[in-house]
Amino acid sequence: MDAREKEQRMLDSCIAAALGEVASARDQVEASIFRLAASAVQTYYPTRANALWNSSDEYFEKHAEQHRLPPADLMAQGHIVTLPRLRSMLLRQLEERDRA
């Protein structure tokens, strides 16, 4: 899987959580990305941001021994490219869903 496919898979997970299709993140990285995604779209899509927060919170409540990964770690590990790119891609894909 190349970097673009990996990024799209992550975005698909965020979109599913934002739409309420995912009750809980699958792992620590995904839960941390959901939190970051929630803060990125909060101004534009508050209800969808809440769904992302809830999916993240659900994971961390079940796995109290794990902590939220900081954005710098998510970028350093290649899970996200940059925060502006994450926001831009999420907003674009959420808008496309709204139009469909």
Side-chain angles (χ1 to χ4, degrees):
M1 178 180 329
D2 68 16
R4 289 202 185 268
E5 291 171 331
K6 183 178 176 184
E7 180 181 48
Q8 188 57 53
R9 180 178 263 181
M10 179 270 301
L11 289 167
D12 290 342
S13 295
C14 288
I15 297 296
L19 296 175
E21 298 170 359
V22 174
S24 178
R26 292 176 289 200
D27 57 35
Q28 179 185 29
V29 169
E30 189 173 76
S32 298
I33 290 172
F34 285 179
R35 294 186 72 73
L36 193 57
S39 65
V41 302
Q42 178 70 41
T43 301
Y44 307 95
Y45 292 101
T47 302
R48 292 182 176 168
N50 285 339
L52 283 156
W53 287 113
N54 291 339
S55 293
S56 176
D57 288 344
E58 182 71 22
Y59 178 82
F60 286 119
E61 286 173 13
K62 290 180 182 175
H63 301 89
E65 74 284 356
Q66 294 186 2
H67 62 281
R68 294 166 184 92
L69 300 172
D73 288 357
L74 295 170
M75 286 187 282
Q77 295 170 9
H79 298 293
I80 59 171
V81 179
T82 65
L83 298 177
R85 180 172 173 86
L86 174 65
R87 178 185 302 111
S88 175
M89 298 291 285
L90 280 173
L91 290 176
R92 183 177 57 79
Q93 291 187 25
L94 286 168
E95 289 168 7
E96 287 174 4
R97 297 280 177 135
D98 283 348
R99 281 186 256 141

